Amino acid sequence: MSDTSDTSDTRTPAQIEADIKNRRATLADTLDEIGVRVHPKTIVGDAKAKVASNIDHTLGRAYVGVNRVVGDVKGRFVTEEGAPRLERIVPAALLAVGVVGLLVLGTRRRKG
């Protein structure tokens, strides 16, 4: 680019025409790029990609959280060597059987 404070132009008419042609080509490329960026399909595609990325990120965090909870629960019922902790498993199993039994009795009373 030439300096705007310089009023003398030492370029030939052919050089000026070449500069104008180059600037028109650059401007046309820029306008084409802007047209692609603001096209509805491009905007929708970008939005879909952003949503998919956010969902992947959220699911990844959820997976890590669930994995941590499962590890904590497993740690409560299994020793570090992998042996079951019967002193914790038996009461939990009895509690589960009791809850299921109460649910079954509750449904039978409503039907009868």
Side-chain angles (χ1 to χ4, degrees), residues 8-104:
S8 66
D9 194 353
T10 57
R11 299 179 295 166
T12 65
Q15 289 172 326
I16 294 172
E17 286 178 13
D19 285 346
I20 292 172
K21 187 176 179 180
N22 288 337
R23 287 185 188 216
R24 281 185 180 157
T26 303
L27 180 60
D29 289 344
T30 303
L31 289 174
D32 288 344
E33 185 177 338
I34 290 171
V36 168
R37 286 185 184 183
V38 299
H39 193 279
K41 286 185 180 180
T42 304
I43 294 171
V44 169
D46 290 347
K48 284 181 181 178
K50 187 173 183 177
V51 168
S53 173
N54 287 339
I55 288 173
D56 287 346
H57 180 71
T58 302
L59 288 176
R61 287 191 340 202
Y63 175 78
V64 168
V66 167
N67 200 19
R68 186 178 305 129
V69 169
V70 169
D72 290 346
V73 170
K74 183 180 175 184
R76 294 179 191 270
F77 292 101
V78 179
T79 65
E80 291 179 11
E81 294 82 28
R85 293 183 174 174
L86 294 179
E87 71 277 4
R88 292 188 179 173
I89 293 175
V90 171
L94 290 174
L95 180 65
V97 168
V99 169
V100 169
L102 288 174
L103 291 173
V104 169

